[in-house]
Amino acid sequence: MPILEQKKLYNLIDDLEKFGPIQKGWRNYSRLGKNKYHCHLTYKWVACWEYIEEISSETGKSFTTIRIIEVYYAGSRENAPY
């Protein structure tokens, strides 16, 4: 994957960590199925991810939520698993 697309992938992963699996601001974002999503990094390059689970716990006065999101494909559009 070219450097420009790698940088965009890192930015997408950052957005997934900060904002969760729904990324409507990314080019050609769409839902692929139950808890599966994809977007185009550029015309030829895509990323696919799955929202696996959310774990919430309360410890004392604080509440913690952990999202598990797996990017299961980042590569050429031609080989994308959808």
Coordinates of all heavy atoms in Angstrom, one line a residue:
M1 N 0.9 -1.2 0.0 CA 0.0 0.0 0.0 C 0.9 1.2 0.0 O 1.8 1.3 0.8 CB -0.9 0.0 1.2 CG -1.8 1.2 1.3 SD -2.9 1.2 2.8 CE -4.0 -0.2 2.4
P2 N 0.6 2.2 -0.9 CA 1.4 3.4 -0.9 C 1.3 4.2 0.4 O 0.4 4.1 1.1 CB 0.8 4.2 -2.1 CG 0.1 3.2 -2.9 CD -0.4 2.1 -2.0
I3 N 2.4 5.0 0.6 CA 2.5 5.8 1.8 C 1.3 6.7 2.1 O 0.8 6.8 3.2 CB 3.8 6.7 1.8 CG1 5.0 5.8 1.7 CG2 3.8 7.7 2.9 CD1 5.2 5.0 2.9
L4 N 0.7 7.4 1.1 CA -0.4 8.3 1.3 C -1.6 7.5 1.8 O -2.3 7.9 2.8 CB -0.8 8.9 -0.1 CG -2.1 9.8 0.0 CD1 -2.0 10.9 0.9 CD2 -2.5 10.2 -1.4
E5 N -1.9 6.3 1.3 CA -3.0 5.5 1.7 C -2.7 4.9 3.1 O -3.6 4.8 3.9 CB -3.3 4.4 0.7 CG -4.0 4.9 -0.5 CD -3.1 5.6 -1.5 OE1 -1.8 5.7 -1.3 OE2 -3.6 6.1 -2.5
Q6 N -1.4 4.6 3.4 CA -1.1 4.2 4.8 C -1.4 5.3 5.8 O -1.9 5.0 6.9 CB 0.4 3.8 4.9 CG 0.7 2.5 4.1 CD 2.2 2.2 4.2 OE1 2.8 2.4 5.3 NE2 2.7 1.7 3.1
K7 N -1.1 6.5 5.5 CA -1.4 7.6 6.4 C -2.9 7.8 6.6 O -3.3 8.0 7.7 CB -0.8 8.9 5.8 CG 0.7 8.9 5.9 CD 1.3 10.2 5.4 CE 2.8 10.2 5.4 NZ 3.4 11.4 4.9
K8 N -3.6 7.6 5.5 CA -5.1 7.7 5.6 C -5.6 6.6 6.5 O -6.6 6.8 7.3 CB -5.8 7.7 4.2 CG -5.5 9.0 3.5 CD -6.3 9.0 2.2 CE -6.0 10.4 1.5 NZ -7.0 10.6 0.4
L9 N -5.1 5.4 6.3 CA -5.5 4.3 7.2 C -5.2 4.6 8.6 O -6.1 4.3 9.5 CB -4.7 3.0 6.7 CG -5.0 1.7 7.6 CD1 -6.5 1.4 7.5 CD2 -4.2 0.6 7.1
Y10 N -4.1 5.1 8.9 CA -3.8 5.5 10.3 C -4.8 6.5 10.8 O -5.2 6.4 12.0 CB -2.3 6.0 10.5 CG -1.3 4.9 10.2 CD1 -0.2 5.2 9.4 CD2 -1.4 3.6 10.7 CE1 0.8 4.3 9.1 CE2 -0.4 2.7 10.4 CZ 0.6 3.0 9.7 OH 1.6 2.0 9.4
N11 N -5.1 7.5 10.0 CA -6.1 8.5 10.4 C -7.5 7.8 10.6 O -8.2 8.2 11.6 CB -6.3 9.5 9.3 CG -5.1 10.5 9.3 OD1 -4.3 10.6 10.3 ND2 -4.8 11.1 8.1
L12 N -7.9 6.8 9.8 CA -9.1 6.1 10.0 C -9.1 5.4 11.3 O -10.1 5.4 12.1 CB -9.4 5.1 8.8 CG -10.6 4.2 9.0 CD1 -11.9 5.0 9.1 CD2 -10.6 3.2 7.9
I13 N -8.0 4.7 11.6 CA -7.9 3.9 12.8 C -8.0 4.9 14.0 O -8.7 4.6 15.0 CB -6.6 3.1 12.9 CG1 -6.7 2.0 11.8 CG2 -6.3 2.6 14.3 CD1 -5.4 1.2 11.6
D14 N -7.4 6.0 13.9 CA -7.6 7.1 15.0 C -9.0 7.5 15.1 O -9.5 7.6 16.3 CB -6.7 8.3 14.6 CG -6.6 9.2 15.8 OD1 -6.3 8.8 16.9 OD2 -6.8 10.5 15.5
D15 N -9.7 7.7 14.0 CA -11.1 8.1 14.1 C -12.0 6.9 14.7 O -12.9 7.2 15.5 CB -11.7 8.4 12.7 CG -11.3 9.8 12.3 OD1 -10.7 10.5 13.1 OD2 -11.5 10.1 11.1
L16 N -11.7 5.7 14.3 CA -12.4 4.5 14.9 C -12.2 4.5 16.4 O -13.1 4.2 17.2 CB -11.9 3.2 14.3 CG -12.3 3.0 12.8 CD1 -11.6 1.8 12.2 CD2 -13.8 2.9 12.7
E17 N -10.9 4.7 16.9 CA -10.7 4.7 18.3 C -11.4 5.8 19.0 O -11.9 5.6 20.1 CB -9.2 4.8 18.6 CG -8.4 3.6 18.2 CD -6.9 3.8 18.4 OE1 -6.4 4.9 18.6 OE2 -6.2 2.8 18.2
K18 N -11.5 7.0 18.4 CA -12.1 8.2 19.1 C -13.6 8.2 19.0 O -14.3 8.6 20.0 CB -11.5 9.5 18.5 CG -10.1 9.7 18.8 CD -9.6 11.0 18.2 CE -8.2 11.3 18.5 NZ -7.6 12.4 17.7
F19 N -14.1 7.8 17.8 CA -15.6 8.0 17.6 C -16.4 6.8 17.4 O -17.6 6.9 17.2 CB -15.7 9.0 16.4 CG -14.9 10.2 16.5 CD1 -13.9 10.5 15.7 CD2 -15.2 11.1 17.5 CE1 -13.1 11.7 15.8 CE2 -14.5 12.3 17.7 CZ -13.4 12.6 16.8
G20 N -15.8 5.6 17.3 CA -16.5 4.4 17.1 C -16.6 4.0 15.6 O -16.0 4.6 14.8
P21 N -17.4 2.9 15.4 CA -17.4 2.3 14.1 C -18.1 3.0 12.9 O -17.8 2.8 11.8 CB -18.1 0.9 14.3 CG -19.0 1.2 15.5 CD -18.3 2.2 16.3
I22 N -19.0 3.9 13.3 CA -19.8 4.6 12.2 C -19.0 5.9 11.8 O -18.8 6.8 12.6 CB -21.2 5.0 12.7 CG1 -21.9 3.7 13.1 CG2 -21.9 5.8 11.7 CD1 -23.2 3.9 13.7
Q23 N -18.5 5.9 10.6 CA -17.6 6.9 10.1 C -18.1 7.5 8.8 O -17.6 7.4 7.7 CB -16.2 6.3 9.8 CG -15.5 5.8 11.0 CD -15.1 6.9 12.0 OE1 -14.7 8.0 11.5 NE2 -15.3 6.6 13.2
K24 N -19.2 8.2 8.9 CA -19.9 8.8 7.7 C -19.1 9.9 7.0 O -19.4 10.2 5.9 CB -21.3 9.4 8.2 CG -22.2 8.3 8.6 CD -23.6 8.9 9.0 CE -24.5 7.8 9.4 NZ -25.8 8.3 9.8
G25 N -18.1 10.4 7.7 CA -17.2 11.4 7.0 C -16.2 10.9 6.1 O -15.5 11.6 5.4
W26 N -16.1 9.6 6.0 CA -15.1 8.9 5.2 C -15.7 8.6 3.8 O -16.8 8.2 3.7 CB -14.5 7.7 5.8 CG -13.4 8.0 6.8 CD1 -13.7 8.4 8.1 CD2 -12.1 8.1 6.6 NE1 -12.5 8.6 8.7 CE2 -11.5 8.5 7.8 CE3 -11.2 7.9 5.5 CZ2 -10.1 8.6 8.0 CZ3 -9.9 8.0 5.7 CH2 -9.3 8.4 6.9
R27 N -14.9 8.8 2.8 CA -15.3 8.6 1.4 C -15.9 7.2 1.2 O -15.3 6.2 1.5 CB -14.1 8.8 0.5 CG -14.4 8.7 -1.0 CD -13.1 8.9 -1.8 NE -13.3 8.6 -3.1 CZ -12.4 8.5 -4.0 NH1 -11.2 8.9 -3.7 NH2 -12.6 8.2 -5.2
N28 N -17.1 7.1 0.5 CA -17.8 5.9 0.2 C -18.0 5.0 1.4 O -18.1 3.8 1.3 CB -17.0 5.1 -0.9 CG -17.1 5.8 -2.2 OD1 -16.4 6.8 -2.4 ND2 -17.9 5.3 -3.1
Y29 N -18.1 5.6 2.6 CA -18.5 4.8 3.8 C -19.8 4.1 3.6 O -20.7 4.7 3.1 CB -18.5 5.7 5.0 CG -19.3 5.1 6.2 CD1 -18.6 4.2 7.0 CD2 -20.6 5.3 6.4 CE1 -19.3 3.6 8.1 CE2 -21.3 4.7 7.4 CZ -20.7 3.9 8.3 OH -21.3 3.3 9.3
S30 N -19.9 2.8 4.0 CA -21.1 2.1 4.0 C -21.1 0.9 4.9 O -20.0 0.5 5.3 CB -21.5 1.7 2.6 OG -20.7 0.7 2.1
R31 N -22.2 0.5 5.3 CA -22.4 -0.7 6.1 C -22.4 -1.9 5.2 O -23.1 -1.9 4.2 CB -23.7 -0.6 6.9 CG -23.9 -1.7 7.9 CD -25.1 -1.4 8.7 NE -25.1 -2.3 9.8 CZ -25.7 -2.1 11.0 NH1 -26.4 -1.0 11.1 NH2 -25.6 -3.0 11.9
L32 N -21.6 -2.9 5.5 CA -21.5 -4.1 4.7 C -22.5 -5.2 5.2 O -22.8 -6.1 4.5 CB -20.1 -4.6 4.7 CG -19.1 -3.7 4.1 CD1 -17.7 -4.3 4.2 CD2 -19.4 -3.4 2.6
G33 N -22.8 -5.1 6.4 CA -23.7 -6.2 7.1 C -23.7 -5.9 8.5 O -23.4 -4.8 9.0
K34 N -24.2 -6.8 9.3 CA -24.3 -6.6 10.7 C -23.0 -6.3 11.3 O -22.0 -7.1 11.3 CB -24.9 -7.8 11.4 CG -25.2 -7.6 12.9 CD -25.8 -8.8 13.5 CE -25.9 -8.5 15.0 NZ -26.4 -9.6 15.8
N35 N -22.8 -5.1 11.8 CA -21.6 -4.6 12.5 C -20.3 -4.6 11.6 O -19.2 -4.6 12.1 CB -21.3 -5.5 13.7 CG -22.4 -5.3 14.8 OD1 -23.0 -4.3 14.9 ND2 -22.6 -6.4 15.5
K36 N -20.5 -4.7 10.3 CA -19.4 -4.6 9.4 C -19.5 -3.3 8.5 O -20.6 -3.0 8.0 CB -19.3 -5.8 8.5 CG -18.9 -7.0 9.3 CD -18.5 -8.2 8.3 CE -18.0 -9.3 9.2 NZ -17.5 -10.4 8.3
Y37 N -18.4 -2.7 8.2 CA -18.4 -1.4 7.5 C -17.2 -1.3 6.6 O -16.2 -2.1 6.7 CB -18.3 -0.2 8.5 CG -19.3 -0.3 9.6 CD1 -19.1 -1.0 10.8 CD2 -20.6 0.3 9.5 CE1 -20.0 -1.1 11.8 CE2 -21.5 0.2 10.5 CZ -21.2 -0.5 11.6 OH -22.2 -0.6 12.6
H38 N -17.2 -0.4 5.7 CA -16.0 -0.1 4.8 C -16.0 1.3 4.4 O -17.0 2.0 4.5 CB -16.0 -1.1 3.6 CG -16.5 -0.5 2.4 ND1 -17.8 -0.1 2.2 CD2 -15.9 -0.2 1.2 CE1 -18.0 0.4 1.0 NE2 -16.8 0.3 0.4
C39 N -14.8 1.8 3.9 CA -14.7 3.1 3.3 C -13.6 3.0 2.3 O -12.8 2.1 2.3 CB -14.5 4.2 4.3 SG -12.9 4.2 5.0
H40 N -13.5 4.0 1.4 CA -12.4 4.1 0.5 C -11.4 5.1 1.0 O -11.7 6.2 1.4 CB -12.9 4.6 -0.9 CG -13.7 3.6 -1.7 ND1 -13.6 3.5 -3.0 CD2 -14.6 2.7 -1.3 CE1 -14.4 2.6 -3.4 NE2 -15.1 2.1 -2.4
L41 N -10.1 4.6 1.1 CA -9.1 5.5 1.5 C -8.7 6.4 0.3 O -8.5 7.6 0.5 CB -7.8 4.7 1.9 CG -8.1 3.7 3.0 CD1 -6.9 2.8 3.2 CD2 -8.5 4.4 4.3
T42 N -8.7 5.9 -0.9 CA -8.6 6.6 -2.2 C -9.4 5.7 -3.2 O -10.0 4.7 -2.8 CB -7.2 6.8 -2.7 OG1 -6.5 5.5 -2.8 CG2 -6.4 7.7 -1.7
Y43 N -9.4 6.1 -4.4 CA -10.2 5.3 -5.4 C -9.8 3.8 -5.4 O -10.7 3.0 -5.5 CB -10.0 5.9 -6.8 CG -10.8 5.2 -7.9 CD1 -12.1 5.4 -8.0 CD2 -10.1 4.3 -8.7 CE1 -12.9 4.7 -8.9 CE2 -10.9 3.6 -9.7 CZ -12.2 3.8 -9.8 OH -13.0 3.1 -10.7
K44 N -8.5 3.5 -5.4 CA -8.1 2.1 -5.5 C -8.0 1.3 -4.2 O -7.9 0.1 -4.2 CB -6.8 2.0 -6.2 CG -6.8 2.2 -7.7 CD -5.4 2.1 -8.3 CE -4.9 0.6 -8.1 NZ -3.7 0.3 -8.7
W45 N -8.0 2.1 -3.0 CA -7.7 1.4 -1.8 C -8.8 1.6 -0.8 O -9.4 2.6 -0.6 CB -6.4 2.1 -1.2 CG -5.3 1.9 -2.1 CD1 -4.9 2.8 -3.1 CD2 -4.4 0.8 -2.3 NE1 -3.8 2.3 -3.8 CE2 -3.5 1.0 -3.3 CE3 -4.3 -0.5 -1.6 CZ2 -2.5 0.1 -3.7 CZ3 -3.4 -1.4 -2.0 CH2 -2.5 -1.1 -3.0
V46 N -9.1 0.5 -0.1 CA -10.3 0.4 0.9 C -9.8 -0.1 2.2 O -8.8 -0.8 2.3 CB -11.5 -0.4 0.3 CG1 -12.0 0.2 -1.0 CG2 -11.1 -1.8 0.2
A47 N -10.7 0.1 3.2 CA -10.5 -0.5 4.5 C -11.9 -1.1 4.9 O -12.9 -0.5 4.7 CB -10.0 0.5 5.5
C48 N -11.8 -2.2 5.6 CA -13.0 -2.9 6.1 C -12.8 -3.1 7.6 O -11.8 -3.5 8.0 CB -13.3 -4.2 5.4 SG -13.5 -4.1 3.6
W49 N -13.9 -2.9 8.4 CA -13.7 -3.2 9.8 C -15.0 -3.7 10.4 O -16.1 -3.6 9.8 CB -13.3 -1.9 10.6 CG -14.3 -0.8 10.5 CD1 -15.3 -0.5 11.4 CD2 -14.4 0.3 9.5 NE1 -16.0 0.7 11.0 CE2 -15.4 1.1 9.8 CE3 -13.6 0.5 8.3 CZ2 -15.7 2.2 9.0 CZ3 -14.0 1.6 7.5 CH2 -15.0 2.4 7.9
E50 N -14.9 -4.4 11.5 CA -16.0 -5.0 12.2 C -16.1 -4.5 13.6 O -15.0 -4.4 14.3 CB -15.9 -6.5 12.2 CG -17.0 -7.2 12.9 CD -16.9 -8.7 12.8 OE1 -15.9 -9.2 12.4 OE2 -17.9 -9.4 13.0
Y51 N -17.3 -4.1 14.1 CA -17.5 -3.7 15.5 C -17.9 -5.0 16.2 O -18.9 -5.5 16.0 CB -18.6 -2.7 15.5 CG -19.0 -2.2 16.8 CD1 -18.0 -1.8 17.7 CD2 -20.3 -2.0 17.2 CE1 -18.4 -1.2 18.9 CE2 -20.7 -1.5 18.4 CZ -19.7 -1.1 19.3 OH -20.1 -0.6 20.5
I52 N -16.9 -5.5 17.0 CA -17.1 -6.8 17.7 C -17.9 -6.7 18.9 O -18.9 -7.4 19.1 CB -15.7 -7.4 17.9 CG1 -15.1 -7.7 16.5 CG2 -15.8 -8.7 18.7 CD1 -13.6 -8.1 16.6
E53 N -17.5 -5.8 19.8 CA -18.3 -5.7 21.1 C -17.9 -4.4 21.8 O -17.0 -3.7 21.5 CB -18.1 -6.9 22.0 CG -16.7 -7.0 22.5 CD -16.5 -8.2 23.4 OE1 -17.3 -8.4 24.4 OE2 -15.6 -9.0 23.2
E54 N -18.8 -4.1 22.8 CA -18.5 -3.0 23.7 C -18.6 -3.5 25.1 O -19.6 -4.2 25.4 CB -19.6 -1.9 23.4 CG -19.3 -0.6 24.2 CD -20.2 0.5 23.7 OE1 -20.1 0.9 22.5 OE2 -21.0 1.0 24.5
I55 N -17.6 -3.2 25.9 CA -17.6 -3.6 27.3 C -17.7 -2.4 28.1 O -16.9 -1.5 28.0 CB -16.3 -4.4 27.6 CG1 -16.2 -5.6 26.6 CG2 -16.2 -4.8 29.0 CD1 -14.8 -6.2 26.6
S56 N -18.6 -2.4 29.1 CA -18.8 -1.3 30.0 C -18.6 -1.8 31.4 O -19.1 -2.8 31.7 CB -20.1 -0.6 29.8 OG -20.3 -0.1 28.5
S57 N -17.9 -0.9 32.2 CA -17.8 -1.3 33.6 C -17.8 -0.1 34.5 O -17.4 1.0 34.0 CB -16.5 -2.1 33.8 OG -15.4 -1.3 33.6
E58 N -18.2 -0.2 35.7 CA -18.2 0.9 36.6 C -17.3 0.5 37.8 O -17.4 -0.5 38.4 CB -19.7 1.1 37.1 CG -19.8 2.3 38.0 CD -21.2 2.6 38.4 OE1 -22.1 1.9 37.8 OE2 -21.4 3.5 39.2
T59 N -16.4 1.4 38.0 CA -15.5 1.3 39.2 C -15.5 2.5 40.0 O -15.1 3.6 39.7 CB -14.0 1.1 38.7 OG1 -13.6 2.1 37.9 CG2 -13.9 -0.2 37.9
G60 N -16.1 2.3 41.2 CA -16.3 3.5 42.1 C -17.2 4.5 41.4 O -18.3 4.3 41.1
K61 N -16.6 5.7 41.2 CA -17.4 6.8 40.7 C -17.2 7.0 39.2 O -17.7 7.9 38.6 CB -17.1 8.1 41.4 CG -17.5 8.1 42.8 CD -17.3 9.5 43.5 CE -17.8 9.4 44.9 NZ -17.6 10.7 45.6
S62 N -16.3 6.2 38.6 CA -16.0 6.3 37.1 C -16.7 5.2 36.3 O -16.9 4.1 36.8 CB -14.5 6.4 36.9 OG -13.9 5.2 37.3
F63 N -17.0 5.5 35.1 CA -17.6 4.5 34.2 C -16.7 4.4 33.0 O -16.3 5.4 32.4 CB -19.0 5.0 33.8 CG -19.8 4.0 33.1 CD1 -20.4 3.0 33.7 CD2 -20.0 4.1 31.7 CE1 -21.1 2.0 33.0 CE2 -20.7 3.2 31.0 CZ -21.3 2.2 31.7
T64 N -16.3 3.2 32.6 CA -15.4 2.9 31.5 C -16.1 2.1 30.4 O -16.8 1.2 30.7 CB -14.2 2.2 32.0 OG1 -13.6 2.9 33.0 CG2 -13.2 2.0 30.8
T65 N -15.9 2.6 29.2 CA -16.5 1.8 28.0 C -15.3 1.5 27.1 O -14.5 2.4 26.7 CB -17.5 2.6 27.2 OG1 -18.6 2.9 28.1 CG2 -18.0 1.9 26.1
I66 N -15.2 0.2 26.7 CA -14.2 -0.2 25.8 C -14.8 -0.8 24.5 O -15.7 -1.6 24.6 CB -13.3 -1.3 26.4 CG1 -12.6 -0.7 27.7 CG2 -12.3 -1.8 25.4 CD1 -11.9 -1.8 28.5
R67 N -14.5 -0.2 23.4 CA -15.0 -0.7 22.1 C -14.0 -1.6 21.5 O -12.8 -1.3 21.4 CB -15.3 0.4 21.2 CG -16.5 1.3 21.5 CD -16.7 2.3 20.4 NE -17.6 3.3 20.8 CZ -17.3 4.5 21.1 NH1 -16.1 4.9 20.9 NH2 -18.2 5.4 21.5
I68 N -14.4 -2.7 21.0 CA -13.5 -3.6 20.2 C -13.9 -3.5 18.7 O -15.0 -4.0 18.4 CB -13.5 -5.0 20.7 CG1 -13.1 -5.1 22.2 CG2 -12.6 -5.9 19.9 CD1 -13.2 -6.4 22.9
I69 N -13.0 -2.9 18.0 CA -13.2 -2.8 16.5 C -12.0 -3.4 15.8 O -10.9 -3.0 16.1 CB -13.4 -1.3 16.1 CG1 -14.6 -0.7 16.8 CG2 -13.5 -1.2 14.6 CD1 -14.7 0.8 16.7
E70 N -12.2 -4.3 14.9 CA -11.1 -4.9 14.2 C -11.1 -4.5 12.7 O -12.1 -4.6 12.0 CB -11.3 -6.4 14.2 CG -10.2 -7.1 13.4 CD -10.4 -8.6 13.3 OE1 -11.4 -9.1 13.7 OE2 -9.5 -9.3 12.8
V71 N -10.0 -3.9 12.3 CA -9.8 -3.6 10.8 C -9.3 -4.9 10.3 O -8.2 -5.3 10.5 CB -8.8 -2.5 10.6 CG1 -8.6 -2.3 9.1 CG2 -9.3 -1.2 11.2
Y72 N -10.2 -5.6 9.5 CA -9.9 -6.9 9.0 C -9.4 -6.9 7.6 O -8.9 -8.0 7.1 CB -11.0 -7.9 9.2 CG -12.3 -7.6 8.4 CD1 -12.5 -8.0 7.1 CD2 -13.3 -6.8 9.0 CE1 -13.6 -7.7 6.4 CE2 -14.5 -6.6 8.3 CZ -14.6 -7.0 7.0 OH -15.8 -6.7 6.3
Y73 N -9.4 -5.8 6.9 CA -8.9 -5.7 5.6 C -8.5 -4.3 5.3 O -9.3 -3.3 5.6 CB -9.9 -6.2 4.5 CG -9.3 -6.1 3.1 CD1 -8.5 -7.1 2.6 CD2 -9.6 -5.0 2.3 CE1 -7.9 -7.0 1.4 CE2 -9.1 -4.9 1.0 CZ -8.3 -5.9 0.6 OH -7.7 -5.8 -0.7
A74 N -7.3 -4.1 4.7 CA -6.9 -2.8 4.2 C -6.1 -3.1 3.0 O -5.0 -3.7 3.1 CB -6.1 -2.0 5.2
G75 N -6.6 -2.8 1.8 CA -5.9 -3.1 0.6 C -6.6 -2.6 -0.6 O -7.5 -1.8 -0.6
S76 N -6.3 -3.3 -1.8 CA -6.9 -2.8 -3.0 C -8.4 -3.1 -3.1 O -8.8 -4.1 -2.5 CB -6.1 -3.5 -4.2 OG -6.5 -4.9 -4.2
R77 N -9.0 -2.3 -3.8 CA -10.5 -2.4 -3.9 C -10.8 -3.7 -4.7 O -11.8 -4.4 -4.4 CB -11.0 -1.2 -4.7 CG -12.5 -1.1 -4.7 CD -12.9 0.2 -5.4 NE -12.5 0.1 -6.8 CZ -13.0 0.8 -7.7 NH1 -14.0 1.6 -7.4 NH2 -12.6 0.7 -9.0
E78 N -10.0 -4.1 -5.6 CA -10.2 -5.3 -6.4 C -10.2 -6.6 -5.6 O -10.9 -7.6 -5.9 CB -9.2 -5.5 -7.5 CG -9.3 -4.4 -8.6 CD -8.6 -3.1 -8.2 OE1 -7.8 -3.0 -7.2 OE2 -8.9 -2.1 -8.8
N79 N -9.5 -6.6 -4.5 CA -9.4 -7.8 -3.6 C -10.2 -7.7 -2.3 O -10.1 -8.6 -1.5 CB -7.9 -8.1 -3.2 CG -7.1 -8.4 -4.5 OD1 -7.6 -9.1 -5.4 ND2 -5.9 -8.0 -4.5
A80 N -11.0 -6.7 -2.2 CA -11.7 -6.5 -1.0 C -12.7 -7.6 -0.7 O -13.3 -8.1 -1.7 CB -12.5 -5.1 -1.0
P81 N -12.9 -8.0 0.5 CA -13.7 -9.2 0.8 C -15.2 -8.8 1.0 O -15.9 -9.2 1.9 CB -13.2 -9.6 2.2 CG -12.7 -8.4 2.8 CD -12.1 -7.6 1.7
Y82 N -15.8 -8.1 0.0 CA -17.2 -7.8 0.0 C -17.8 -8.0 -1.3 O -17.1 -8.1 -2.3 CB -17.5 -6.4 0.6 CG -16.8 -5.3 -0.1 CD1 -17.3 -4.8 -1.3 CD2 -15.7 -4.6 0.5 CE1 -16.6 -3.7 -1.9 CE2 -15.1 -3.6 -0.1 CZ -15.6 -3.1 -1.3 OH -14.9 -2.1 -1.9

